[in-house]
Amino acid sequence: MAAVAAALVVTACGTAGGDGTAAVPPPVSAADLAKVTLEVGDQKGGVKSLLTAANLLQGTPYKVEWATFTSGPPLLEAASAGAIDTGRVGNTPPIFAAAAKAKIKVISVSRSNVEREALLVPPDSPLQNVAGLKGKTIGVAKGSSAHGQLLNTLHNNGLSTKDVKLSFLQPSEAYAAFSQHTIDAWAIWDPYTAQAQIEAHARVLADGRGASNGLGFLTASTAALADPGKNSALRDFAVRVVKAQKWADTHREEWAQAWAKETGLKLEVARKAVEAGRDQPIVLDDAVVASEQQLADAFADEKTLPGKVDFAAFVDRRFGPDLDQARSNG
């Protein structure tokens, strides 16, 4: 892995980014890279425990410091402010960040099983279909992937977010409200979906099929991408995440145990969250951008965003060749 890291440092070039919007800094020496500290945002221990389980945090030619966030939107706010350099989020946070003109870019992408993105109701709820949610209160983290899935789920059933009452809650708050029946439904993602199913016997009213593209993004601050040392570290880190995602797909039990250990989740919850398959890295291509643009337009049409978002302007494909190789070689 050290050899791979060294190769990544010397292959950086001082040309425009893959999307043509940003210049790529020149490479740095191994000595300079050793002075870099990469500040990484994480949610529920997901990336940290994944890299740890896959033994891919060993031998990084730079230091890594971690910060934990409740969901994607606050993580991207921190990235835009320069408090962190990188972090992984779902499909919707970058859209809200783009609308706020955040100083971030999407640098790699993966796709997960959308059946684990769920609209949950308590086991004793009288609700039997999405149409029955009209006038009901739904808990969701604003600007999260669950917000996007909820928007499309409602649209697919002849409703809009104006037909329901949205209660904007972070996952821990929403879980408490859900358990206490102070909200009628909860739009959420794993591992919280699995936790609610196992511990609160939640019932799935609808999942992400036909309502979510299942995309998740590794993002970076524009400041980090412009910094020679941090850009080199980001290149190496993004490759490690891809390799870890591929590893996890064939080592689900090891991944579940590591995730449970890192976060304090019950092992059965972690197992349920990974049994259907976790994130698999894919190409950050025009089809991905188009899918995100459709979601952004849907939010803009509902006046949830202040105006139209050009998602392509927040995509940087500079690491594409390295990520292609990582996906191919595992």
Side-chain angles (χ1 to χ4, degrees):
M1 180 57 72
V4 172
L8 290 173
V9 175
V10 299
T11 55
C13 57
T15 60
D19 62 338
T21 63
V24 180
V28 299
S29 67
D32 285 338
L33 186 58
K35 300 174 184 176
V36 172
T37 297
L38 196 65
E39 305 284 352
V40 183
D42 203 9
Q43 298 181 60
K44 201 67 175 176
V47 176
K48 183 181 180 182
S49 58
L50 176 60
L51 289 169
T52 300
N55 199 31
L56 285 165
L57 274 182
Q58 299 296 319
T60 56
Y62 46 86
K63 299 179 183 66
V64 179
E65 292 187 353
W66 298 88
T68 301
F69 296 85
T70 55
S71 63
L75 187 155
L76 291 186
E77 288 177 11
S80 182
I84 61 171
D85 302 311
T86 186
R88 189 182 175 282
V89 299
N91 62 358
T92 305
I95 291 171
F96 276 68
K101 296 179 171 52
K103 298 175 182 177
I104 61 102
K105 295 281 186 178
V106 163
I107 59 174
S108 71
V109 61
S110 59
R111 177 173 281 122
S112 62
N113 184 348
V114 297
E115 291 183 43
R116 301 308 301 159
E117 298 180 46
L119 185 56
L120 304 176
V121 294
D124 56 352
S125 171
L127 293 168
Q128 296 299 319
N129 53 55
V130 175
L133 286 170
K134 188 170 184 178
K136 303 298 184 181
T137 301
I138 305 172
V140 64
K142 185 176 183 178
S144 68
S145 59
H147 196 176
Q149 187 254 352
L150 175 60
L151 175 76
N152 284 331
T153 296
L154 293 172
H155 282 180
N156 292 346
N157 289 272
L159 300 176
S160 78
T161 54
K162 306 299 187 294
D163 294 313
V164 298
K165 299 173 185 175
L166 297 185
S167 180
F168 291 127
L169 300 168
Q170 291 300 312
S172 60
E173 300 169 323
Y175 185 59
F178 182 83
S179 301
Q180 296 163 12
H181 288 62
T182 56
I183 56 177
D184 299 299
W186 181 22
I188 193 57
W189 60 88
D190 264 334
Y192 303 102
T193 301
Q195 184 179 22
Q197 287 180 304
I198 290 173
E199 297 178 0
H201 308 292
R203 176 163 53 85
V204 176
L205 192 67
D207 60 35
R209 286 176 291 183
S212 173
N213 57 20
L215 299 177
F217 296 97
L218 186 64
T219 63
S221 72
T222 54
L225 288 166
D227 179 87
K230 292 205 171 185
N231 179 71
S232 294
L234 284 167
R235 183 185 298 269
D236 178 75
F237 186 80
V239 166
R240 289 173 188 259
V241 171
V242 166
K243 288 178 176 289
Q245 287 170 332
K246 288 180 65 66
W247 172 89
D249 193 47
T250 54
H251 297 81
R252 297 184 188 183
E253 177 60 21
E254 295 99 309
W255 164 219
Q257 290 190 24
W259 202 7
K261 182 178 180 181
E262 175 71 27
T263 61
L265 286 170
K266 292 180 179 178
L267 182 56
E268 61 180 324
V269 170
R271 281 174 173 156
K272 186 173 183 63
V274 305
E275 68 182 10
R278 293 296 296 165
D279 301 294
Q280 283 302 291
I282 61 174
V283 181
L284 183 53
D285 58 14
D286 291 345
V288 166
V289 175
S291 182
E292 285 294 288
Q293 188 63 52
Q294 287 181 339
L295 181 57
D297 292 345
F299 274 110
D301 290 344
E302 282 217 342
K303 310 299 183 186
T304 305
L305 299 178
K308 185 175 175 62
V309 168
D310 179 11
F311 189 79
F314 290 82
V315 174
D316 193 311
R317 309 184 203 192
R318 68 179 65 184
F319 302 139
D322 301 285
L323 300 177
D324 290 343
Q325 184 176 10
R327 282 194 309 274
S328 299
N329 298 337

